Amino acid sequence: MKKLLLALSLVSGGLLPGLAAARPLAFVINSAEASVSMIDMDTKEEVKRIPVLREPHHMALTPDGKSLLIGDTAGNAVFFLDPVTGDVQRRATISDPYQLQYSPDSKWMVVAGLARNQIDIYDAATLTLAHRIPASSMPSHINFSPDSSVTYVSLQGTDALMAIDVHTGAVLWNTKIGKSPAGVLWLDGKILVGIMGADYVAVVNPANGAVERKIVTAKGAHNLFISPDSHTLYVCNRVDGSISVLDPKTLAVRGRIAMSGGPDDMDFAPDGKIWVTRRWAHTVALLDPATGQFTTIETGRSPHGIWLNTHPNQPAPTRVSAK
Amino acid sequence: MDPFDTAAGWLQEHFVIPLLYQLDMMQWEDVGYGWALFAVYGVAQVFITLAICLPLERWRPVETWPDAKAVTIDVVYTLINRIGVLPLVTFVLFYQVQVWLTGTLTDHGIVPPTLELLIPGLLGHQILTFVLYAIILDFGEYWRHRLSHMFGWWWALHSLHHAQRQMTFWSDDRNHVIDEVISFLWSAAIALLIGIPPLQFPLLILVLRFLESLSHANARVSFGRAGNRVLISPRFHRAHHGVLAAGQQSCNYGAILPVWDIVFRTADFGREYVRTGDPSGEEALHTGTWWQQQSAGWRRMVAMLRRKRSKSARSRAGTDLAA
Ligand SMILES: [Zn+2]
Ligand SMILES: [Zn+2]
């Protein structure tokens, strides 16, 4: 009986991806190891380590959900992985893909080249370069307005946020908003940006880049994620070693969960656990947000981007512009 | 988990990150982690070198000195270089240059060469690629070293390395700063040409430098008739440091593999454990402080360049007269 079940699960998970529920997998990018860890979310074991070329950081799911794109910065390549099996489908040459993200209308893919100080706007369907915007310096995180007309990119080297018209590639504004800005999230008509060189999240006016409010979280506010039910906003704090829990409506801080090891990207599992990459601890944490307790799974060195295939048609939560 | 990773993570979390935060340099946190990792490797390398070489030097010393004061300066050279400077230049600097260069080439439609793409089937075989990289770098090192003896101005700098009359495993890092810079640029250029990944380059340098330390040891260690022709032994490199070999005509230039000396006919396997030093060098190079040694090297280099220029000016004047 066990064998039969195993065979069935193999068939459903590996061979006939479209038919049955796919095997739940977590994809974790190991930035300082040129690989991607594929973790079975049921057994909590790493089932495969997929080699890439040089230094991958972030990923994006194609709008049709058929490929998971892994951006390899120093390798100047994007690897297309099968989100069900982890097999490499193909490799495309793309200059310095540090962050990559599709627009909500699926028409564009924006790539931030942190090392080369450039923001590239690609036609999503053909991956042809539509616009290249010089962006000094160190463009890192990306988000969009819900209508996909504007993309917002944080510039870590110049403490600024840049707004770009996606269709024309024109820079709408480029405004200083705080020291070393990182994660960017559109929320209820405002842009939230984690101010990594300080201890707050800046609430920015999308029309002109003016900072309207500062929400103090903790030192090294980095990236922002909204829970699938939209009831909670999480902010990881790099220097403090914690995750702040906020009310997305009022932006009031509800609490703070201690997590050492440089918590970075996160994704939400169906069982309510939050999977968090811990950059300097070489693990991914499975956090129970109710208790603040977490267990860990070992990954490669410097785990960064993470995506769970349990929401097969959705990119990671920070990638979506919450309306 | 890898103890090096654990140590680097600790260093990053408790030293690098708080420091970067204080200095308003949080945008360098990722690069900082690379430095932490290679600083940890540097410390480990110094300890491993100590653990292996110290017993060897006690067991079968070539020379014994009434006081080993002259060795202290080499310890200083080693610590500065292996823990501070090497991780900084071989990772932080090399990384920046490589990402910029390869990205620019990719933009112009040129896919920068990498060994893994040149030799199909190599992708994923990290150890094999690593060994190939090491062999290529070692070949480059042979020629760099040979040229540093050939050119008068360069020898003026490199003679600092040869000035040590109490040669021990610490002596490998005893180099003029300019000589060290040239050496870094030299191997970095090779690394860029063959596409060594930014995370492997510092590791390669560490491995190569470890073997080079061993070959400087004050120990009667030879790998036997055949072994000496496979890997450079303390006996082989001591011949290069011999008083007779100091200067622009020398032998045994190799760093790791003697094969280059054999192929290019500069190998001398005949010399027994000779006395080391450079009788033609000035005393400041032998026994001066770090600063005195550096300025003496600089002075000698400038003098050599001046002499060369006046010589060529004289020969130009000669032809003028003849005309
Ligand atoms: Zn020499
Ligand atoms: Zn030497």
Side-chain angles (χ1 to χ4, degrees):
Chain A
M1 190 61 198
K2 251 188 182 164
K3 265 189 185 155
L4 184 70
L5 278 177
L6 187 73
L8 273 175
S9 75
L10 274 178
V11 167
S12 64
L15 300 173
L16 298 169
L19 289 179
R23 173 153 73 153
L25 294 171
F27 290 88
V28 180
I29 291 181
N30 303 312
S31 284
E33 208 177 275
S35 66
V36 179
S37 291
M38 194 172 101
I39 299 166
D40 186 315
M41 290 172 66
D42 287 337
T43 64
K44 313 277 188 284
E45 264 166 27
E46 184 174 345
V47 282
K48 181 148 90 169
R49 198 164 282 195
I50 305 147
V52 296
L53 263 174
R54 294 289 180 263
E55 193 193 326
H57 282 279
H58 296 99
M59 49 182 127
L61 188 71
T62 50
D64 62 9
K66 287 195 177 134
S67 301
L68 184 63
L69 273 55
I70 310 289
D72 186 337
T73 50
N76 294 289
V78 166
F79 286 76
F80 290 65
L81 301 189
D82 185 320
V84 178
T85 62
D87 293 338
V88 177
Q89 296 163 331
R90 68 187 182 98
R91 192 182 75 222
T93 301
I94 280 191
S95 168
D96 193 15
Y98 177 76
Q99 279 271 7
L100 52 168
Q101 198 166 331
Y102 285 96
S103 59
D105 66 4
S106 308
K107 288 197 178 129
W108 309 95
M109 185 173 79
V110 173
V111 173
L114 182 124
R116 301 203 62 240
N117 298 324
Q118 65 193 22
I119 297 162
D120 289 339
I121 302 178
Y122 288 88
D123 178 279
T126 59
L127 281 191
T128 47
L129 185 64
H131 306 289
R132 165 158 298 169
I133 299 97
S136 203
S137 69
M138 304 175 91
S140 68
H141 294 68
I142 307 167
N143 213 296
F144 292 89
S145 60
D147 66 0
S148 299
S149 64
V150 183
T151 182
Y152 304 92
V153 184
S154 55
L155 305 179
Q156 289 192 346
T158 42
D159 304 338
L161 187 70
M162 193 187 242
I164 301 161
D165 183 310
V166 176
H167 296 266
T168 64
V171 176
L172 303 173
W173 46 261
N174 180 0
T175 312
K176 286 213 186 295
I177 56 157
K179 293 176 197 168
S180 300
V184 183
L185 181 75
W186 177 288
L187 186 71
D188 291 331
K190 302 287 176 203
I191 312 160
L192 308 188
V193 185
I195 305 298
M196 188 169 52
D199 59 356
Y200 63 90
V201 171
V203 181
V204 180
N205 183 336
N208 54 17
V211 177
E212 297 181 339
R213 280 171 76 190
K214 292 176 181 177
I215 313 293
V216 174
T217 57
K219 278 184 187 173
H222 185 78
N223 213 348
L224 314 100
F225 300 85
I226 196 118
S227 65
D229 63 7
S230 308
H231 289 334
T232 316
L233 175 69
Y234 296 96
V235 178
C236 57
N237 306 302
R238 230 9 189 292
V239 182
D240 186 55
S242 64
I243 296 169
S244 294
V245 185
L246 280 76
D247 181 333
K249 289 266 177 303
T250 62
L251 297 181
V253 179
R254 287 186 198 139
R256 193 165 63 187
I257 299 164
M259 186 183 283
S260 63
D264 200 330
D265 282 351
M266 48 180 97
D267 201 351
F268 299 84
D271 63 359
K273 294 266 167 63
I274 308 176
W275 289 52
V276 189
T277 51
R278 298 167 75 214
R279 298 295 299 282
W280 319 310
H282 323 104
T283 53
V284 48
L286 276 58
L287 171 70
D288 182 344
T291 62
Q293 301 293 309
F294 60 88
T295 56
T296 59
I297 302 172
E298 203 169 307
T299 61
R301 196 178 289 132
S302 194
H304 200 176
I306 182 167
W307 179 75
L308 311 179
N309 76 353
T310 45
H311 44 82
N313 294 310
Q314 279 170 9
T318 188
R319 309 295 157 85
V320 191
S321 297
K323 301 221 167 108
Chain B
M1 195 188 296
D2 189 333
F4 297 113
D5 288 357
T6 310
W10 188 90
L11 192 62
Q12 169 81 345
E13 186 150 15
H14 296 97
F15 173 72
V16 180
I17 286 289
L19 186 72
L20 291 178
Y21 189 80
Q22 281 306 315
L23 298 174
D24 282 347
M25 287 171 68
M26 276 302 282
Q27 68 268 34
W28 298 107
E29 50 138 14
D30 240 5
V31 176
Y33 177 67
W35 175 83
L37 194 60
F38 292 109
V40 167
Y41 284 140
V43 171
Q45 187 215 34
V46 169
F47 274 108
I48 294 169
T49 314
L50 255 172
I52 293 175
C53 293
L54 215 55
L56 279 181
E57 292 193 345
R58 291 278 153 79
W59 176 46
R60 307 188 65 184
V62 178
E63 300 173 296
T64 44
W65 307 293
D67 76 285
K69 242 194 253 155
V71 177
T72 319
I73 184 90
D74 290 357
V75 179
V76 174
Y77 272 110
T78 304
L79 294 181
I80 294 177
N81 208 31
R82 304 258 165 128
I83 298 166
V85 180
L86 275 184
L88 215 57
V89 293
T90 58
F91 178 71
V92 180
L93 198 64
F94 178 76
Y95 173 82
Q96 305 293 325
V97 173
Q98 194 193 43
V99 172
W100 177 83
L101 184 75
T102 54
T104 307
L105 287 175
T106 309
D107 274 352
H108 289 83
I110 307 160
V111 178
T114 60
L115 221 50
E116 296 104 304
L117 295 182
L118 285 174
I119 307 169
L122 216 53
L123 184 65
H125 296 276
Q126 290 202 344
I127 294 172
L128 185 63
T129 342
F130 193 83
V131 171
L132 284 176
Y133 288 142
I135 293 173
I136 296 169
L137 282 178
D138 186 55
F139 173 71
E141 198 48 26
Y142 168 85
W143 279 105
R144 184 198 61 78
H145 188 191
R146 196 165 159 185
L147 293 175
S148 77
H149 278 255
M150 245 163 73
F151 292 107
W153 63 269
W154 203 346
W155 165 250
L157 297 173
H158 182 56
S159 60
L160 198 167
H161 179 69
H162 280 263
Q164 182 58 280
R165 289 180 294 235
Q166 300 187 356
M167 192 175 82
T168 62
F169 66 90
W170 296 105
S171 303
D172 182 47
D173 288 289
R174 175 198 182 87
N175 292 302
H176 197 277
V177 177
I178 301 172
D179 201 14
E180 200 72 71
V181 168
I182 299 172
S183 153
F184 162 69
L185 293 176
W186 184 278
S187 26
I190 298 171
L192 288 173
L193 268 175
I194 57 174
I196 297 183
L199 279 162
Q200 281 193 28
F201 181 60
L203 218 56
L204 279 157
I205 297 294
L206 277 178
V207 171
L208 299 183
R209 295 298 286 257
F210 164 70
L211 292 167
E212 286 179 47
S213 289
L214 182 68
S215 71
H216 285 92
N218 172 32
R220 285 181 188 276
V221 172
S222 155
F223 300 151
R225 232 192 99 77
N228 279 340
R229 283 160 175 78
V230 177
L231 200 68
I232 285 171
S233 62
R235 180 182 181 272
F236 185 89
H237 194 64
R238 181 162 283 266
H240 174 73
H241 275 268
V243 283
L244 292 174
Q248 292 177 251
Q249 293 287 330
S250 191
C251 63
N252 300 3
Y253 296 99
I256 311 299
L257 303 170
V259 62
W260 317 121
D261 277 300
I262 298 169
V263 169
F264 300 109
R265 299 179 178 284
T266 49
D268 185 345
F269 291 97
R271 296 192 200 186
E272 278 303 325
Y273 300 95
V274 291
R275 243 173 5 94
T276 68
D278 174 16
S280 66
E282 58 189 275
E283 194 53 31
L285 289 176
H286 292 277
T287 46
T289 60
W290 185 88
W291 184 248
Q292 285 165 338
Q293 294 187 357
Q294 294 293 317
S295 42
W298 169 257
R299 225 182 330 98
R300 284 158 62 87
M301 182 191 73
V302 172
M304 282 309 288
L305 288 171
R306 281 231 179 92
R307 202 191 309 166
K308 209 170 131 199
R309 198 181 316 147
S310 64
K311 223 191 245 168
S312 61
R314 250 201 318 264
S315 69
R316 253 203 315 281
T319 43
D320 283 353
L321 274 180

